[in-house]
Amino acid sequence: DRSPSRGLGDVYKRQIMDSAEVKYILTIAEHRSISKAADALFISQPNLSRILINIEKDLGVKLFDRSCLPIKTTPAGEVCVKYCNQIDALLKSMSADIIGISRHNTPRITIGVPPVRGSYLLPLVLPVFSKAHPDIEVVIKEANSIMISQMIETGEVDIGIFSLPQTPSNLSCIELLRDPLLLMLPPNHILAYSGSNGVIPSIPIDMIHLLDGESFVAINSPKSITVRLICYLETTYNVHSSIGIRTQSNVMTYRLCELGMGLAAAMGVAIRSVALQHYPCLYKVDNLHEIWNIGIRKERHLSDIERAFIDITIQESSKLLSKPFKVIK
């Protein structure tokens, strides 16, 4: 604790910790043990204890209560750890930004996006962005949503667009779009209606039982939206169905559904990008949807160019679900 003989000048001699000390404090707080933290940091336990004592002496407070095992942060320690986390995030952000600048002399922005989602969204966003900022080089890196979230955290991309069941806690995210999961029916199905380019209705609850025993055309993936829809119908309505034909693309899935080869699950944006023979017969099923997010690292300071890209992306993504269906005349 602070000695009564110490003045304010002594207490505030230490105005900032260096990056190594920030790392030491965070590692001790994470492991709740000085010896385990020392092992993780590859330094000796006595050396780490001495460093901690010096930090506490300079700050005039105890940061950790060593009287219990595992050790725990004091009230002052909790405040210190909170700010150390912010300092650590800023240092990582600064390092990533400087590396990004050093890679190329031309101002650039690096965007991470899954290939399919990028093919829907970026043709709307990039013409608007490039017109407003013609001197900015845009680099697009494609990967699945899990990898995109990791690339944001490591600084490999400046901004990422992704969809995951849960938003990663280590990212700051803005919701771009709630893309509805839709049931697509063949034209000859008992529940089929004459499709139009208007509002998509919800499937009548009292008619869902007519889907029992049906077969789906689906992309060959255990995590496909078709698998999600089939599981939902079974657990919610006790309606059992199966996958009869497995494909490798959305286009093939929708085309086979049109030909009466089975039902299909479709995302609202995806089906608007495919040229169909007729206006599709689509139903909403309750409130099933996927959320598209745009994310950055937490505590990261955005440049004016990055803010502009995010603003344009938010503006343009709202148009995706209002696009007309593509129908071959």
Side-chain angles (χ1 to χ4, degrees):
D1 295 330
R2 187 191 305 174
S3 169
S5 62
R6 300 181 68 183
L8 287 176
D10 294 321
V11 173
Y12 290 105
K13 280 180 181 177
R14 171 181 290 275
Q15 295 182 2
I16 190 171
M17 293 182 183
D18 62 38
S19 59
E21 290 172 331
V22 167
K23 185 176 182 180
Y24 296 153
I25 293 297
L26 291 177
T27 305
I28 294 171
E30 177 186 356
H31 291 277
R32 301 179 66 189
S33 163
I34 294 177
S35 60
K36 290 180 181 178
D39 290 340
L41 292 164
F42 300 101
I43 62 176
S44 68
Q45 187 269 335
N47 190 26
L48 182 58
S49 293
R50 178 183 56 79
I51 291 170
L52 177 59
I53 290 170
N54 287 338
I55 292 173
E56 291 178 325
K57 182 179 178 182
D58 286 340
L59 292 175
V61 291
K62 292 289 185 184
L63 300 178
F64 296 95
D65 181 357
R66 279 99 110 182
S67 66
C68 55
L69 290 176
I71 66 175
K72 60 182 182 180
T73 52
T74 64
E78 291 178 6
V79 172
C80 182
V81 168
K82 181 185 76 171
Y83 281 103
C84 282
N85 274 313
Q86 294 178 6
I87 293 169
D88 185 57
L90 284 171
L91 290 172
K92 288 178 180 176
S93 179
M94 178 186 71
S95 177
D97 289 347
I98 290 174
I99 290 172
I101 293 171
S102 67
R103 285 176 183 159
H104 206 282
N105 291 328
T106 303
R108 67 164 57 178
I109 182 171
T110 304
I111 311 300
V113 63
V116 176
R117 297 187 187 281
S119 69
Y120 307 148
L121 181 59
L122 294 184
L124 289 175
V125 173
L126 292 183
V128 179
F129 178 79
S130 296
K131 183 177 180 180
H133 304 280
D135 298 329
I136 303 301
E137 177 184 353
V138 179
V139 178
I140 300 170
K141 294 193 175 185
E142 296 180 313
N144 63 44
S145 287
I146 293 176
M147 292 181 65
I148 293 296
S149 67
Q150 295 169 348
M151 291 162 71
I152 299 170
E153 174 62 18
T154 60
E156 187 175 346
V157 299
D158 302 313
I159 295 169
I161 298 167
F162 60 90
S163 176
L164 292 172
Q166 291 185 330
T167 302
S169 60
N170 57 345
L171 303 181
S172 293
C173 297
I174 300 172
E175 183 178 310
L176 285 182
L177 185 71
R178 294 195 173 219
D179 194 4
L181 194 164
L182 305 171
L183 172 67
M184 180 178 180
L185 298 179
N188 61 352
H189 194 275
I190 190 172
L191 292 178
Y193 60 88
S194 179
S196 68
N197 215 16
V199 177
I200 299 172
S202 296
I203 188 167
I205 300 299
D206 59 350
M207 304 294 281
I208 290 183
H209 70 278
L210 295 175
L211 301 177
D212 196 54
E214 292 280 9
S215 178
F216 278 80
V217 182
I219 287 180
N220 188 22
S221 168
K223 296 183 178 180
S224 71
I225 59 172
T226 308
V227 172
R228 179 182 168 190
L229 180 57
I230 288 174
C231 290
Y232 181 82
L233 291 173
E234 182 174 343
T235 57
T236 307
Y237 297 103
N238 197 32
V239 168
H240 301 271
S241 51
S242 60
I243 297 175
I245 300 177
R246 297 181 185 272
T247 73
Q248 296 297 320
S249 73
N250 287 331
V251 175
M252 180 66 73
T253 299
Y254 304 153
R255 292 276 172 80
L256 290 177
C257 178
E258 276 194 311
L259 291 172
M261 303 300 295
L263 281 59
M267 300 309 302
V269 170
I271 197 165
R272 285 172 168 81
S273 71
V274 176
L276 303 167
Q277 294 293 329
H278 310 281
Y279 285 118
C281 177
L282 300 168
Y283 283 107
K284 296 177 183 176
V285 181
D286 296 342
N287 191 34
L288 296 180
H289 61 265
E290 280 192 356
I291 296 177
W292 292 29
N293 283 308
I294 187 164
I296 61 168
R297 293 194 309 277
K298 264 192 175 172
E299 311 296 340
R300 183 167 174 270
H301 293 279
L302 293 173
S303 68
D304 291 341
I305 295 301
E306 289 167 341
R307 290 185 187 280
F309 182 87
I310 291 174
D311 290 342
I312 292 171
T313 303
I314 292 171
Q315 168 192 313
E316 295 302 319
S317 64
S318 65
K319 300 176 182 178
L320 287 170
L321 288 175
S322 61
K323 292 176 64 178
F325 293 105
K326 297 179 180 179
V327 178
I328 300 172
K329 300 297 185 182

